[in-house]
Amino acid sequence: MAKLVINREAVGAEIQPEIYGHFSEHLGRGIYEGIYVGEDSDIPNVNGMRTDVVEALKKIHVPVLRWPGGCFADEYHWKDGIGDKAKRKKIVNTHWGGVVEDNSFGTHEFFELCRQLGCKTYINGNVGSGTVQEMSEWVEYMTFEGVSPMAELRAKNGHKEPWKVDYFGVGNENWGCGGNMRPSYYGDLYRRYQTYVRNYDPKNPIKKICGGANVDDYHWTKTVLETTHDHTPEQFHGFMDGLSLHYYVHPEGWDIKGSATDFDEEVWYKTLSKALYMQTLVERHGMIMDTYDPEKKIGMIVDEWGGWYTAEPGTNPGFLYQQNTIRDALIAGITLNIFNKHCDRVKMANIAQMVNVLQAVILTEGEKMILTPTYHVFHMYRHHQGATLLDTKLTGVSEIGPEEWSVPAITESTSIDSEGVITVTLNNLSTTQKENVDVELVDGDISVVEARIVSGDIHDYNSFEQPEQVVEKEYTDYKVDAEGLHVILPPASVVEIRLK
Ligand code: AHR
């Protein structure tokens, strides 16, 4: 029997809300159709942004949005996406399906979307095919308040006031689609490009994100930090605020990937075992970061993560459109628990991608919209945002699944908010077994404030025909007595319990 002991005094770091961040690229129907339909669309919208999608996203408290890529970022020339829409350049989206990109969603539209969502902004700049001048002028265009050519251009395009750029990524995957660079070369370019990401508003400095490793490329992490590290810890502040990491779960490997909906039990465990690998990555890259930045001033920014499967049959393979099952709910639950537990280092994470692409929280078809199992997990886990991690003890957890892909039956993370409410999120990874967990508070009695659950058959998903096959429900399979809280987690479930 598993036992979870919680001590409300054993506080760790703050779970930065940005850990629950999102990513949206100019890719397939992620932005166009999925979010932006244009002012003249029959689909209800505000300034071109779908009202249904924005309202749903507000409910999961999207803290930050990364844009415009991804691989697209290192081919994006921001001036193509400003000014009169009728005159904007039409370009080919070489990475994603070779389709026409009409640039109708550009800088102004991105900030309008973030305004409607009430979220922070994370712009990813172009190092691979862009110049330093281009990057520097983009920052000037977005953030400079005084008299300058770019501030004037922004005003001419209808926005006199500058916007706030919270995070700026200096390139994306520069080891691959962002220029196929070697780490020391990129490290030097990072030094150079970031110099011109000026802080025009010193009271609101832009946090600069250095392009980090792919999966377990520890050599990249080490060499980039080595190349950029003749700076003292103090100087790091404002020079590099974050280092990114990308990791996707491909059940059958990068080449084959595997179906989003058609998988057997072995593949279920293989997938979840690969999701759990995030912990190893965070810890090992974190150890390298510790040698250069022992005070943990540089955040680990996992700005692309999630399940990546073979695109749905009949859809453009370059659009990366995939369904989302209970298995994805578990990937999300497991991964977010890992990030919470490492929130002293992980300062932001951005699920790939917000709408209609990869492990999306929302899928759309014409005017229809559905919420995926992953959406419901983000909704339950929102209570961790801004809360303080609690250092818990979880014991007695059995290992389950086939030997090669065995996983712990349960994962957990726990936080306490400013009102003293404790949020525990638990995952049962088993396809068939219920799991019992006894929860004990070391310093007092437990009363349950709220309990919610997402669970189902491992293959369950929401479709446009059956949009509510998987929903978040009230969870009642627990009891409280003098010894504490006794929880029975159904198989394949993600549970949130809020306690006092
Ligand atoms: O999210 C899809 C792609 O995956 C991104 O464009 C790229 O950064 C990564 O390889």
Side-chain angles (χ1 to χ4, degrees):
M1 158 96 67
K3 182 162 192 165
L4 175 67
V5 182
I6 303 170
N7 174 4
R8 68 174 91 230
E9 306 297 327
V11 292
E14 187 206 339
I15 298 173
Q16 211 165 272
E18 283 89 324
I19 285 180
Y20 291 81
H22 291 254
F23 165 43
S24 232
E25 179 169 10
H26 287 239
L27 195 178
R29 299 186 302 114
I31 288 178
Y32 300 113
E33 285 185 44
I35 298 168
Y36 182 73
V37 286
E39 294 84 343
D40 302 330
S41 171
D42 290 340
I43 298 173
N45 69 84
V46 175
N47 299 325
M49 314 299 158
R50 292 178 71 128
T51 307
D52 54 353
V53 168
V54 167
E55 289 309 314
L57 290 171
K58 275 159 70 175
K59 293 195 182 123
I60 57 170
H61 300 179
V62 170
V64 61
L65 179 60
R66 174 177 183 242
W67 171 85
C71 294
F72 184 80
D74 280 277
E75 278 200 295
Y76 185 58
H77 301 283
W78 67 272
K79 283 187 184 164
D80 295 348
I82 54 169
D84 183 354
K85 283 191 187 167
K87 293 195 190 130
R88 292 189 193 174
K89 245 189 221 170
K90 292 189 172 46
I91 59 164
V92 51
N93 191 333
T94 48
H95 279 290
W96 306 119
V99 293
V100 174
E101 161 64 59
D102 71 2
N103 279 302
S104 53
F105 188 97
T107 303
H108 291 246
E109 290 74 24
F110 171 70
F111 282 100
E112 170 59 13
L113 172 60
C114 293
R115 185 194 67 76
Q116 291 188 26
L117 292 175
C119 72
K120 291 191 177 173
T121 57
Y122 177 6
I123 296 273
N124 210 115
N126 178 349
V127 171
S129 71
T131 62
V132 173
Q133 182 180 1
E134 197 178 339
M135 186 179 283
S136 140
E137 286 186 340
W138 198 7
V139 173
E140 181 186 324
Y141 186 86
M142 293 186 286
T143 61
F144 186 55
E145 196 169 16
V147 178
S148 85
M150 291 304 113
E152 221 169 89
L153 184 58
R154 185 187 65 234
K156 195 174 134 231
N157 287 332
H159 212 276
K160 175 125 187 29
E161 295 300 310
W163 294 288
K164 184 160 183 306
V165 173
D166 295 290
Y167 296 91
F168 193 93
V170 181
N172 167 73
E173 295 195 351
N174 300 94
W175 39 261
C177 65
N180 284 304
M181 300 173 196
R182 285 176 294 192
S184 57
Y185 178 68
Y186 170 73
D188 279 333
L189 283 189
Y190 177 80
R191 297 173 67 119
R192 180 171 168 227
Y193 274 68
Q194 71 76 33
T195 308
Y196 302 94
V197 178
R198 301 280 186 212
N199 273 317
Y200 291 107
D201 179 2
K203 280 200 238 95
N204 288 307
I206 298 171
K207 291 201 164 81
K208 299 173 190 174
I209 313 297
C210 178
N214 187 32
V215 194
D216 58 353
D217 186 352
Y218 303 114
H219 173 66
W220 178 278
T221 300
K222 186 170 176 353
T223 312
V224 164
L225 287 173
E226 190 69 50
T227 312
T228 50
H229 189 79
D230 47 51
H231 294 252
T232 65
E234 289 72 39
Q235 283 170 315
F236 250 130
H237 186 62
F239 170 77
M240 186 190 293
D241 300 286
L243 179 65
S244 68
L245 169 66
H246 288 182
Y247 174 53
Y248 287 98
V249 172
H250 307 294
E252 303 286 9
W254 166 253
D255 294 339
I256 305 175
K257 297 191 176 68
S259 163
T261 50
D262 184 13
F263 52 86
D264 60 20
E265 284 204 17
E266 167 145 0
V267 175
W268 161 277
Y269 286 111
K270 199 194 253 196
T271 309
L272 300 193
S273 152
K274 289 185 177 193
L276 284 156
Y277 184 54
M278 181 66 90
Q279 170 146 342
T280 304
L281 295 173
V282 166
E283 287 174 358
R284 294 201 180 159
H285 286 288
M287 281 165 87
I288 299 169
M289 292 174 80
D290 286 348
T291 54
Y292 295 90
D293 170 37
E295 291 175 41
K296 295 189 169 45
K297 293 193 173 195
I298 304 174
M300 186 184 289
I301 309 292
V302 191
D303 54 15
E304 290 187 29
W305 68 272
W308 184 334
Y309 314 123
T310 309
E312 285 305 311
T315 65
N316 185 333
F319 282 12
L320 311 187
Y321 176 77
Q322 64 189 40
Q323 250 301 349
N324 198 294
T325 65
I326 286 284
R327 180 175 61 162
D328 294 276
L330 267 295
I331 293 180
I334 289 167
T335 309
L336 293 168
N337 277 347
I338 293 170
F339 293 155
N340 286 346
K341 285 198 168 289
H342 295 82
C343 64
D344 58 336
R345 180 58 88 180
V346 178
K347 296 296 173 191
M348 171 158 58
N350 309 73
I351 191 167
Q353 301 192 5
M354 194 158 73
V355 183
N356 287 337
V357 175
L358 300 177
Q359 193 177 339
V361 292
I362 289 177
L363 302 176
T364 68
E365 197 176 83
E367 85 256 336
K368 292 193 215 146
M369 173 194 84
I370 52 177
L371 309 176
T372 67
T374 302
Y375 175 94
H376 296 301
V377 173
F378 270 76
H379 186 256
M380 291 192 297
Y381 275 54
R382 74 193 185 287
H383 293 118
H384 284 304
Q385 290 192 25
T388 305
L389 181 74
L390 288 180
D391 185 17
T392 52
K393 290 252 170 317
L394 177 64
T395 51
V397 176
S398 47
E399 282 285 311
I400 54 166
E403 207 180 325
E404 199 188 346
W405 304 109
S406 74
V407 295
I410 301 163
T411 85
E412 159 274 342
S413 70
T414 302
S415 67
I416 186 162
D417 71 12
S418 53
E419 317 271 277
V421 179
I422 295 169
T423 297
V424 185
T425 46
L426 291 158
N427 307 141
N428 179 357
L429 281 61
S430 170
T431 52
T432 50
Q433 296 296 312
K434 288 182 176 176
E435 288 291 335
N436 292 282
V437 190
D438 283 347
V439 183
E440 196 185 302
L441 256 185
V442 292
D443 58 349
D445 297 338
I446 289 184
S447 75
V448 174
V449 176
E450 183 187 14
R452 312 285 296 168
I453 185 166
V454 172
S455 68
D457 177 84
I458 58 172
H459 298 108
D460 282 353
Y461 62 88
N462 294 332
S463 64
F464 293 95
E465 295 71 43
Q466 262 192 294
E468 304 216 323
Q469 174 85 0
V470 181
V471 288
E472 181 190 322
K473 293 187 183 137
E474 194 184 342
Y475 168 66
T476 50
D477 209 0
Y478 64 85
K479 73 175 196 306
V480 183
D481 61 23
E483 267 113 64
L485 167 69
H486 310 280
V487 170
I488 302 172
L489 301 173
S493 63
V494 180
V495 167
E496 177 212 33
I497 307 177
R498 306 195 74 221
L499 318 166
K500 266 211 156 156

